[in-house]
Amino acid sequence: MPETYTHISIILDRTGSMDTIQDDVIGGFNQFLASQQEETGRATLTLVQFDSQDPYEVIHQFAPLEQVAPLSRETYVPRASTPLLDAIGRGIIDLAHRLATMPAGEKPDQVVFVIITDGQENSSREFTKAQVMKLLAEKQEKDKWQFVFLSADLTALDDAIDYGFHAPATISFDKDSQGTAAVFSSLAKNVKRYRSQEAESLVFDEEDRAQQQSEQSRDNRP
């Protein structure tokens, strides 16, 4: 049986409010990367950072995992505000275009699309909520992409579900060293399970959520 080929796109918030967890995000991403590089099976990675100064900075595009370098304080520098809708919308469209132009035999079998943020949309100029909702619905229902949303802001999670992200694939993380490390570890575990086809979809379980105090606050809100 041929090995499963998975493409992973990560849209990473590097806005100013991420400054307090800059090192934690760097360490968490690098932990995630190392865990995926250890996994068997072919995988490629697209990494995009976003903020209002540069709403869509492509760091890696369809790079084989083994060729992806870790993040550092030089390559991940928080600043400015949050064009979240623009980053999501452009990320989906760019990936869809890339896939449409690839020969059939070279396309990935599975697509994982991850958004990591700590706040709400506040500065998009290109995409509206309605446009993002339409794109999400199409790619989830027709093409079976796995969308994941990680956020340190509970209202941003509500917004994500309103956009069309499936609730089991969203998770809140505590905005500190422990919470950030735990959420990247949860992401790594679940992506590995999906890549190996141990899981049919990418969702967070009770063990993942128990590591985040903010998840308890999320559950207890009226």
Side-chain angles (χ1 to χ4, degrees):
M1 174 184 287
E3 64 181 12
T4 300
Y5 168 25
T6 305
H7 178 70
I8 305 165
S9 280
I10 296 182
I11 309 297
L12 178 60
D13 183 341
R14 55 102 181 271
T15 56
S17 56
M18 297 288 274
D19 183 66
T20 59
I21 54 170
Q22 178 185 17
D23 291 332
D24 304 316
V25 170
I26 292 168
F29 174 85
N30 292 345
Q31 174 196 32
F32 169 83
L33 176 63
S35 77
Q36 299 307 310
Q37 290 172 331
E38 294 168 357
E39 182 70 11
T40 57
R42 183 185 174 198
T44 49
L45 180 83
T46 292
L47 174 62
V48 175
Q49 296 183 149
F50 73 93
D51 65 76
S52 56
Q53 289 185 33
D54 191 342
Y56 198 81
E57 182 185 13
V58 179
I59 308 300
H60 302 286
Q61 188 168 57
F62 268 80
L65 273 179
E66 62 273 16
Q67 297 179 15
V68 177
L71 284 177
S72 68
R73 275 183 158 259
E74 286 68 44
T75 54
Y76 180 73
V77 182
R79 63 189 190 185
S81 54
T82 315
L84 182 59
L85 289 171
D86 284 355
I88 296 171
R90 186 169 171 187
I92 293 172
I93 286 178
D94 281 6
L95 178 54
H97 177 73
R98 177 66 179 260
L99 294 174
T101 58
M102 293 173 71
E106 296 179 14
K107 294 181 180 182
D109 305 295
Q110 304 177 142
V111 172
V112 176
F113 193 102
V114 183
I115 295 90
I116 304 167
T117 185
D118 76 329
Q120 293 176 266
E121 155 65 39
N122 61 25
S123 59
S124 287
R125 298 182 177 183
E126 185 178 357
F127 286 86
T128 64
K129 174 183 173 181
Q131 289 171 317
V132 168
M133 289 175 68
K134 182 177 180 181
L135 288 168
L136 276 166
E138 177 183 332
K139 295 307 173 186
Q140 286 179 143
E141 295 167 12
K142 179 182 176 182
D143 298 328
K144 307 303 181 185
W145 292 10
Q146 297 293 307
F147 285 92
V148 180
F149 196 95
L150 319 179
S151 180
D153 182 276
L154 293 180
T155 304
L157 283 168
D158 292 339
D159 291 343
I161 293 171
D162 197 32
Y163 298 156
F165 288 86
H166 295 157
T170 70
I171 189 169
S172 171
F173 65 92
D174 302 335
K175 198 175 176 181
D176 55 28
S177 296
Q178 183 175 342
T180 307
V183 84
F184 273 102
S185 179
S186 293
L187 178 66
K189 175 193 74 175
N190 289 303
V191 171
K192 287 175 75 172
R193 291 186 70 233
Y194 183 66
R195 285 179 59 193
S196 65
Q197 298 185 307
E198 291 179 41
E200 293 182 358
S201 59
L202 210 160
V203 299
F204 297 100
D205 59 25
E206 291 305 313
E207 180 183 352
D208 299 322
R209 299 182 191 282
Q211 298 180 74
Q212 306 291 347
Q213 288 293 120
S214 54
E215 274 292 307
Q216 298 177 32
S217 300
R218 184 183 182 188
D219 290 339
N220 294 329
R221 285 184 300 168

